Amino acid sequence: MTWEDRFIQESELAGYLESSEATFSQRVKALVLHQREHWPLMREGYKAFTAIETKGLSVAEAEVVAQYNPGRIRSTAAAVDQSSVAARPCFLCDSNLPPEEKGIAWRDLVVLCNPYPILANHLSIVDRQHGAQEIKGNARTLLELARDLGSEFFALYNGPQCGASAPDHLHFQACSSSLLPIAEHLFDEEPALSEDCSTCEETASNTFELFTLGRCGRTVVVFRGGNLDELEQWIYRVLDELGRLSSSVEPMMNIVTVYSNRLWTVYLFPRAAHRPSVYYNEGAEKLTISPGAIDMAGVVVVPERSHFEKLDDATMSLIYREVSFDEEAINQMLDWMTSSEELLW
């Protein structure tokens, strides 16, 4: 099957839409409902999702949600070394998807449903061409995806060496933003910017902030602004500097972005390691935890029950420290980068 064969027909979506003039976000949510009804694998995946268990953890001054989700074991434990990836067919290419899987075209990508969700309305947004997972040349696409999906979603990128289970095929993900711990209370005292206010539009377009988020137990670089060109430029500038500190082809990182009230908020998590030491332990000391963007944003997936039960505040704090790039080094880098720049705070 080709991608054209997989695009869902408007007649198939119609029964799940309240209006024929639906937004992109509404059409995407209708796709999820359609696929839950017509794709058996996804129906079972969402049935299992309703039975997940969670518990709260505290890391520094931040709240983290640990999620027991056995359906995620294949992704969490995926072998992503070069030889393993080369030995298996790409599960994001059109010809290798299940026959029931359908999607919505978005630019040169396709919005698909993730049959093993971590959060509600979990999506995979997949390039139609098979090509490497890399953020270079694609940061703007991620930002525009978040904007087009709207504030009910957040969009994310997992680097090929720290969270992407398909490092050989460019893709993004998106989920419902109703649970995004890293964002809680960050800007809750700021007034909302109206959608039909010219002054608000000017304020948003002239706003730009760049800082690290403290007291959350992991290193987080936050970009915030309403000017797409400016955001893109600064993301690449920071990634270029991270590249100078890294031996990887692409610096290890995860990115989460939300678009709300005319502003993008981008959380970049510089990474020092793909997986923590507990992942490689044996026997009772092992914890199958392999952080990607959603985990770094505060929803930590644990696919094995005994590991979920053992996970506590101290262990979660250690995991974040091990996989995060040194915060002091990042702060020094940002201080140097912004010392001669005029930023609106």
Side-chain angles (χ1 to χ4, degrees), residues 143-160:
L143 294 170
E144 292 175 334
L145 174 64
R147 181 194 61 197
D148 288 0
L149 285 170
S151 61
E152 291 184 73
F153 286 85
F154 67 86
L156 68 90
Y157 170 83
N158 280 320

Side-chain angles (χ1 to χ4, degrees), residues 39-305:
W39 182 13
L41 180 64
M42 183 163 164
R43 183 165 58 245
E44 290 303 311
Y46 266 78
K47 181 179 178 181
F49 176 65
T50 62
I52 62 171
E53 298 178 32
T54 63
K55 66 179 180 182
L57 300 172
S58 294
V59 176
E61 298 180 18
E63 294 300 312
V64 172
V65 177
Q67 180 190 97
Y68 169 55
N69 189 338
R72 296 294 301 180
I73 184 63
R74 289 196 302 176
S75 179
T76 301
V80 292
D81 60 279
Q82 190 172 2
S83 59
S84 297
V85 169
R88 54 102 173 118
C90 176
F91 54 83
L92 294 182
C93 281
D94 50 359
S95 58
N96 297 326
L97 298 176
E100 304 91 346
E101 188 166 7
K102 292 180 178 291
I104 293 174
W106 183 77
R107 306 193 180 183
D108 293 330
L109 293 87
V110 182
V111 180
L112 301 170
C113 298
N114 193 317
Y116 304 104
I118 299 175
L119 297 169
N121 295 325
H122 194 159
L123 310 170
S124 297
I125 301 89
V126 179
D127 197 302
R128 300 189 203 186
Q129 301 297 320
H130 183 77
Q133 177 83 338
E134 60 180 349
I135 196 62
K136 184 178 181 180
N138 294 308
R140 192 181 190 92
T141 302
L142 177 62
L143 294 170
E144 292 175 334
L145 174 64
R147 181 194 61 197
D148 288 0
L149 285 170
S151 61
E152 291 184 73
F153 286 85
F154 67 86
L156 68 90
Y157 170 83
N158 280 320
Q161 298 178 331
C162 49
S165 53
D168 53 335
H169 195 128
L170 176 64
H171 65 286
F172 305 101
Q173 295 180 58
C175 297
S176 168
S177 59
S178 59
L179 179 61
L180 185 60
I182 197 69
E184 290 182 3
H185 313 301
L186 187 57
F187 301 109
D188 58 353
E189 295 183 358
E190 291 192 356
L193 300 178
S194 172
E195 289 297 325
D196 57 356
C197 166
S198 59
T199 302
C200 295
E201 183 176 1
E202 183 178 356
T203 300
S205 64
N206 291 329
T207 295
F208 181 73
E209 299 175 284
L210 173 62
F211 56 93
T212 55
L213 190 61
R215 303 184 302 279
C216 62
R218 62 271 202 202
T219 304
V220 190
V221 180
V222 180
F223 308 77
R224 193 166 191 251
N227 185 308
L228 183 61
D229 293 334
E230 187 174 31
L231 275 169
E232 180 187 25
Q233 176 188 16
W234 274 100
I235 289 171
Y236 283 134
R237 286 195 62 187
V238 170
L239 290 176
D240 284 345
E241 292 304 319
L242 280 175
R244 301 180 200 280
L245 304 176
S246 169
S247 59
S248 305
V249 174
E250 174 176 288
M252 296 177 66
M253 106 297 284
N254 309 103
I255 304 175
V256 167
T257 183
V258 181
Y259 183 80
S260 181
N261 295 326
R262 299 178 180 269
L263 296 174
W264 283 272
T265 304
V266 180
Y267 304 89
L268 186 149
F269 303 88
R271 296 287 295 272
H274 175 200
R275 287 164 170 157
S277 58
V278 291
Y279 181 92
Y280 303 101
N281 289 343
E282 297 182 358
E285 301 302 314
K286 179 178 177 62
L287 292 179
T288 305
I289 296 175
S290 183
I294 295 176
D295 308 79
M296 298 303 292
V299 181
V300 178
V301 176
V302 190
E304 299 193 39
R305 174 172 289 281

Side-chain angles (χ1 to χ4, degrees), residues 300-334:
V300 178
V301 176
V302 190
E304 299 193 39
R305 174 172 289 281
S306 62
H307 299 184
F308 171 76
E309 292 173 348
K310 286 189 295 185
L311 184 62
D312 57 18
D313 295 353
T315 305
M316 193 64 243
S317 298
L318 176 63
I319 288 171
Y320 274 150
R321 285 199 305 272
E322 287 187 342
V323 301
S324 295
F325 203 92
D326 180 69
E327 185 174 5
E328 182 177 354
I330 296 298
N331 278 323
Q332 291 176 352
M333 181 190 80
L334 294 183

